């Protein structure tokens, strides 16, 4: 019997048992779609957590000065300035794995334009700061190293500041404003970052060169960095760089071995790692849920295949009585199971990706479909369908035809 | 004249045993029987006598526990399942009490079934199946489903399926068991016509009325042949309108 004829016989048998065929296909669809959708959502959630942390600057260390101590009362971190501009210059060149370092000086300032005024945080930083904190420029440019070296009065503004000083949607590049009565020229606008994890507005900020900040805004403290230092580290080098900086600073500050650090080095990667680990847990959890749904789907397929066995055993008996060889029976049932699995598998992949796309859109996740999971889901369903479609047929084809014909 | 025809099928010292040990039951005990080409045989006996078992072995649907079964001069009791399927396909046509048509499948497609496994070319399938349906008077019902046909019509579809691959013999197990008297006579008339056309027919029945139409009666009792005699067959005359 030709392959073509086997296919026709199998398709005719499927059409004859349309309800059973559709239920089987439905079982495969649900099994496959559930797995694909579940794992995609997990991957999307993980990716969004990773993106959130990348926007906060994952490979970032923050170095703060030590605390002051007077009469037993200790001030907060940074209350006693210990970090010097020379420390900053030294760690840039002496600690391997440091990609960039920037002072981070901060004060509140009153900004005044022709059309409005607004109080915001004014940050004095080096040009490297933008990369360290993962800020990108929406319009204009960042200030340059020569702006910083020369202490030019240029400013890069966050979106919220623009909106309040110049009006929403206004192109402020090239405009002039005053910070504490000193005129500054707007050279760039930061890409909006929205709200931070703590609910503060990331876009409510003004950024000027550190040199300008020291000379024009706050004054004084020539030797010390009146704020913190942020350091960008090479990928995976965060811990090593952290230790290197601590050793360097202890040496430069001439601390004795039994003395406490007069500075602190903190990293975000600890949080980032914890978040990545929890995202991994979410993915495992979802994969577990998906495997259960695959199992349930598989059992559904198995049941529907096995339940029809009585009717099908008589059909097999009749086919054998009129001349079907055991091989004919097996190939017919194999083709039937393959057609059902294939149809269910393809529809399941489509439904799974569709569901993942819908949920990704409604949760604001990126759509991430893992091809290996798609293959796994389809393969498991196909194997279950073929095994439990073929097994009863194989058993029936070994019976004497009269036994199969009289099966009850 | 009958003796001059060649033996078509023959069983010799045939045993069929079910179960094992104390629960052993002998359905057939040392049965020997020869059927010649063109015979029209009724196998009779009470239920449980072993007549159906004998028919199933004659039809290669079941295997004997012991003994010889020859078909067209060749021993078949030792053939593989695949070879037996070929033998059934080419040599034997079956008619069952419950018709055993594929449900939700047209009469024409049901009749085509043996041809599918015979490897007949596609064009032949339709032509020969249509011819077989015409032979049983159902050409107008070719596209009907079994559920749309009466019992007698379904049994005639089954007979068309049995003759479509031009078998040497038709084996029928209680072919009229589910039918009323008038329809039964129509089926028996059809058998007589097929017999007249040269096909050997063996049918099982427990009703003497039905056995009247055969030219030879074999009575099976307790797994043994109790009686084997020729008879003048009654002529089946369906009472009123022609079969349709």
């Amino acid at each position: 019997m030709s392959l073509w004829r086997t296919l026709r016989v199998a398709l005719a048998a499927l059409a004859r048992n349309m309800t059973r065929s559709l239920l089987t296909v439905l079982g495969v669809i649900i099994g496959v779609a559930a797995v694909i959708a579940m794992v995609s959502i997990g991957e999307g959630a993980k990716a969004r957590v990773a993106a959130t942390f990348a926007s906060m600057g994952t490979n970032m260390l923050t170095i703060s000065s030590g605390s002051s101590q007077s009469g037993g009362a200790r001030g907060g971190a940074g209350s006693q300035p210990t970090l010097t501009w020379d420390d900053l210059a030294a760690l840039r060149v002496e600690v391997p794995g440091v990609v960039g370092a920037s002072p981070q000086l901060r004060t509140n300032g009153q900004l005044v334009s022709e059309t409005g005024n607004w109080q915001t945080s004014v940050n004095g930083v080096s040009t490297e700061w933008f990369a360290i904190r993962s800020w990108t420029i929406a319009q204009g440019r960042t200030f340059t190293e020569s702006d910083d070296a020369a202490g030019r009065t240029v400013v890069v503004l966050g979106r919220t500041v623009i909106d309040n000083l110049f009006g929403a949607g206004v192109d402020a590049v090239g405009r002039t404003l005053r910070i504490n009565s000193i005129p500054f020229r707007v050279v760039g606008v930061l890409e909006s970052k929205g709200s931070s994890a703590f609910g503060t507005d990331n876009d409510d900020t003004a950024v000027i060169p550190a040199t300008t900040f020291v000379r024009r805004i706050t004054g004084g403290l020539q030797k010390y960095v009146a704020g913190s230092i942020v350091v960008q580290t090479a990928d995976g080098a965060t811990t090593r760089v952290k230790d290197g900086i601590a050793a360097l600073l202890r040496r430069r500050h001439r601390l004795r071995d039994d003395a406490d650090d007069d500075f602190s080095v903190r990293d975000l990667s600890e949080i980032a790692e914890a978040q990545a680990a929890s995202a991994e847990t979410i993915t495992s959890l979802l994969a577990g849920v998906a495997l259960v749904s695959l199992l349930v789907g598989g059992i559904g397929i198995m049941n529907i295949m096995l339940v029809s066995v009585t009717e099908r055993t008589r059909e097999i008996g009749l086919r054998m009585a009129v001349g079907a060889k055991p091989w004919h029976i097996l190939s017919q049932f194999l083709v039937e199971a393959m057609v059902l699995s294939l149809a269910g598998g393809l529809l399941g992949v489509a439904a799974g990706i569709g569901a993942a796309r819908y949920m990704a859109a409604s949760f604001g996740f990126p759509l991430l479909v893992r091809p290996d999971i798609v293959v796994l889901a389809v393969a498991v369903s196909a194997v279950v369908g073929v095994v439990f479609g073929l097994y009863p047929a194989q058993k029936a084809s070994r019976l004497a035809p009269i036994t199969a014909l009289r099966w009850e | 004249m009958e003796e001059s025809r060649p033996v078509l099928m023959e069983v010799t010292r045939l045993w069929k045993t079910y179960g094992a040990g104390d629960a052993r039951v002998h359905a057939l005990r040392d049965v020997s029987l020869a059927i010649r080409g063109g015979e029209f045989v009724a196998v009779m006996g009470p239920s449980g006598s072993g007549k159906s078992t004998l028919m199933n072995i004659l039809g290669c649907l079941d295997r004997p526990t012991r003994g010889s079964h020859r078909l067209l001069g060749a021993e078949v009791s030792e053939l593989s399942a695949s070879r037996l399927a070929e033998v059934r396909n080419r040599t034997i046509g079956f008619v069952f009490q419950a018709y055993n048509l594929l449900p939700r499948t047209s009469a024409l497609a049901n009749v085509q079934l043996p041809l599918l496994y015979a490897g007949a070319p596609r064009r032949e399938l339709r032509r020969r199946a249509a011819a077989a349906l015409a032979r049983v008077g159902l050409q107008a019902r070719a596209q009907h489903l079994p559920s749309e046909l009466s019992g007698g019509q379904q049994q005639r579809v089954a007979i068309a399926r049995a003759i479509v691959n031009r078998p040497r013999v038709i084996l029928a197990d209680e072919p009229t068991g589910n039918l009323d008297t008038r329809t039964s006579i129509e089926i028996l008339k059809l058998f007589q016509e097929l017999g007249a056309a040269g096909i050997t027919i063996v049918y099982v029945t427990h009703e003497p009325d039905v056995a009247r139409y055969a030219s030879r009666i074999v009575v099976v009792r307790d797994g043994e042949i109790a009686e084997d005699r020729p008879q003048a067959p009654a002529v089946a005359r369906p009472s009123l309108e022609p079969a349709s």
Side-chain angles (χ1 to χ4, degrees):
Chain A
M1 201 151 96
S2 70
L3 188 68
W4 178 238
R5 184 163 282 181
T6 306
L7 190 64
R8 285 172 58 98
V9 167
L11 289 179
L14 290 178
R16 189 161 58 243
N17 300 296
M18 193 50 91
T19 311
R20 184 183 65 88
S21 305
L22 290 180
L23 284 174
T24 312
V25 169
L26 189 66
V28 180
I29 289 175
I30 290 173
V32 171
V35 176
I36 292 173
M38 287 294 180
V39 175
S40 294
I41 290 165
E43 291 293 323
K46 202 168 74 175
R48 195 167 77 157
V49 168
T52 305
F53 275 80
S55 78
M56 292 169 66
T58 314
N59 294 339
M60 192 180 80
L61 295 174
T62 305
I63 309 169
S64 307
S65 294
S67 61
S68 63
Q69 186 160 8
S70 64
R74 302 183 72 201
S79 54
Q80 174 73 49
T82 54
L83 297 171
T84 66
W85 292 97
D86 290 341
D87 287 342
L88 174 58
L91 69 84
R92 271 198 179 116
V93 294
E94 288 181 30
V95 181
V98 171
V99 176
S102 167
Q104 191 167 257
L105 313 171
R106 175 168 302 188
T107 186
N108 277 334
Q110 194 72 21
L111 277 59
V112 181
S113 73
E114 297 150 16
T115 50
N117 75 93
W118 185 251
Q119 190 182 60
T120 187
S121 74
V122 177
N123 295 276
V125 302
S126 72
T127 55
E128 289 153 278
W129 181 82
F130 296 96
I132 296 170
R133 298 301 300 263
S134 306
W135 280 105
T136 51
I137 296 295
Q139 290 152 18
R141 58 173 177 87
T142 64
F143 47 79
T144 62
E145 282 184 30
S146 79
D147 288 334
D148 191 14
R152 293 195 186 106
T153 51
V154 290
V155 62
V156 177
L157 296 176
R159 175 56 62 191
T160 304
V161 179
I162 300 276
D163 290 349
N164 285 288
L165 285 181
F166 300 103
V170 171
D171 180 6
V173 175
R175 303 280 287 268
T176 303
L177 56 80
R178 288 168 187 273
I179 301 175
N180 296 353
S181 306
I182 300 155
F184 277 77
R185 189 163 54 87
V186 179
V187 294
V189 180
L190 295 170
E191 190 74 59
S192 177
K193 273 193 182 183
S195 174
S196 77
F198 310 104
T200 56
D201 184 357
N202 282 322
D203 299 329
D204 190 0
T205 189
V207 187
I208 63 174
T211 310
T212 314
F213 187 95
V214 171
R215 286 189 193 159
R216 310 297 295 270
I217 304 293
T218 56
L221 287 174
Q222 294 301 310
K223 184 184 173 191
Y224 292 100
V225 177
S228 54
I229 294 173
V230 287
V231 176
Q232 185 180 12
T233 63
D235 279 344
T238 307
T239 309
R240 188 156 47 79
V241 173
K242 195 175 164 184
D243 295 343
I245 290 171
L248 176 80
L249 292 178
R250 285 187 70 89
R251 196 167 69 241
R252 290 182 58 85
H253 295 179
R254 298 201 171 81
L255 297 175
R256 289 203 310 270
D257 285 351
D258 57 348
D260 289 337
D261 288 348
D262 61 352
F263 58 88
S264 61
V265 184
R266 296 186 309 279
D267 63 39
L268 272 172
S269 69
E270 284 173 14
I271 312 168
E273 278 162 20
Q275 288 293 335
S278 68
E280 195 64 49
T281 309
I282 295 171
T283 306
S284 311
L285 176 79
L286 288 172
V289 171
L291 278 179
V292 170
S293 59
L294 193 58
L295 189 71
V296 171
I299 289 172
I301 299 167
M302 181 185 82
N303 282 349
I304 203 83
M305 288 289 193
L306 292 180
V307 155
S308 62
V309 90
T310 304
E311 194 196 24
R312 308 279 343 239
T313 300
R314 288 203 207 102
E315 179 193 329
I316 290 169
L318 175 74
R319 287 180 185 275
M320 290 199 294
V322 301
K325 300 175 181 180
W327 174 79
H328 290 142
I329 301 295
L330 285 182
S331 52
Q332 177 195 332
F333 277 72
L334 180 65
V335 170
E336 281 186 32
M338 286 191 331
V339 166
L340 292 178
S341 299
L342 192 69
L346 290 179
L347 290 172
V349 169
I353 292 177
R357 185 187 292 273
Y358 173 76
M359 283 189 274
S362 44
F363 296 160
F365 293 164
L367 177 68
L368 291 173
V369 176
R370 276 174 57 179
D372 55 338
I373 293 293
V374 171
V375 170
L376 176 80
V378 172
V380 169
S381 300
V383 167
V384 171
V386 168
V387 166
F388 289 100
L390 209 50
Y391 167 70
Q394 192 265 349
K395 237 173 77 175
S397 73
R398 294 173 72 126
L399 298 173
I402 192 65
T403 314
L405 265 171
R406 291 183 173 166
W407 198 261
E408 275 172 12
Chain B
M1 174 194 110
E2 300 251 333
E3 298 301 315
S4 63
R5 290 186 180 167
V7 170
L8 181 68
M9 19 188 216
E10 184 175 27
V11 292
T12 315
R13 313 211 58 170
L14 194 71
W15 288 77
K16 180 67 181 179
T17 310
Y18 293 106
D22 288 345
R24 214 145 63 140
V25 176
H26 297 291
L28 293 175
R29 307 160 182 267
D30 207 24
V31 169
S32 295
L33 179 71
I35 291 168
R36 293 174 182 275
E39 280 195 288
F40 191 3
V41 185
V43 178
M44 291 194 67
S47 63
S49 61
K51 59 188 191 301
S52 286
T53 304
L54 178 60
M55 283 291 279
N56 293 335
I57 290 172
L58 286 175
C60 304
L61 292 176
D62 207 351
R63 291 177 188 272
T65 309
R66 204 144 35 99
S68 150
H69 173 206
R70 296 171 77 81
L71 189 64
L72 294 168
E75 182 65 41
V76 294
S77 55
E78 300 296 329
L79 290 181
S80 70
S82 284
R83 295 297 310 281
L84 280 181
E86 282 175 26
V87 168
R88 287 191 298 267
N89 185 248
R90 289 188 197 144
T91 315
I92 305 169
F94 292 97
V95 177
F96 303 99
Q97 179 174 356
Y99 327 132
N100 287 43
L101 301 177
L102 288 179
R104 299 180 287 282
T105 303
S106 73
L108 191 70
N110 262 295
V111 175
Q112 286 177 4
L113 205 55
L115 298 176
L116 283 181
Y117 295 110
R122 218 172 126 199
R123 208 176 299 161
E124 285 264 294
L125 286 182
R126 183 168 282 270
R127 192 183 60 73
R128 283 171 64 182
L133 274 177
R135 180 72 193 76
V136 300
L138 282 181
Q139 61 271 46
R141 298 281 193 276
Q143 296 306 324
H144 284 58
L145 303 180
S147 55
E148 298 165 346
L149 298 171
S150 70
Q153 287 170 332
Q154 289 187 55
Q155 193 61 298
R156 279 192 279 153
V157 172
I159 292 169
R161 182 179 63 194
I163 62 174
V164 73
N165 207 24
R166 304 189 188 104
R168 299 290 297 270
V169 56
I170 290 177
L171 299 178
D173 193 351
E174 302 273 10
T176 61
N178 287 10
L179 302 174
D180 61 48
T181 310
R182 209 189 78 192
T183 316
S184 297
I185 292 171
E186 285 173 13
I187 295 296
L188 288 161
K189 177 170 181 287
L190 189 52
F191 277 156
Q192 285 190 333
E193 289 168 9
L194 294 171
I199 299 179
T200 309
I201 293 171
V202 181
Y203 66 103
V204 163
T205 182
H206 62 273
E207 292 178 68
D209 255 6
V210 173
R212 286 193 303 138
Y213 301 93
S215 57
R216 177 181 170 192
I217 303 273
V218 174
V219 179
V220 180
R221 206 167 281 141
D222 294 331
E224 290 173 334
I225 292 182
E227 220 182 308
D228 184 353
R229 58 181 162 81
Q231 71 172 6
V235 179
R237 283 187 226 281
S239 41
L240 294 163
E241 67 269 40
S244 63

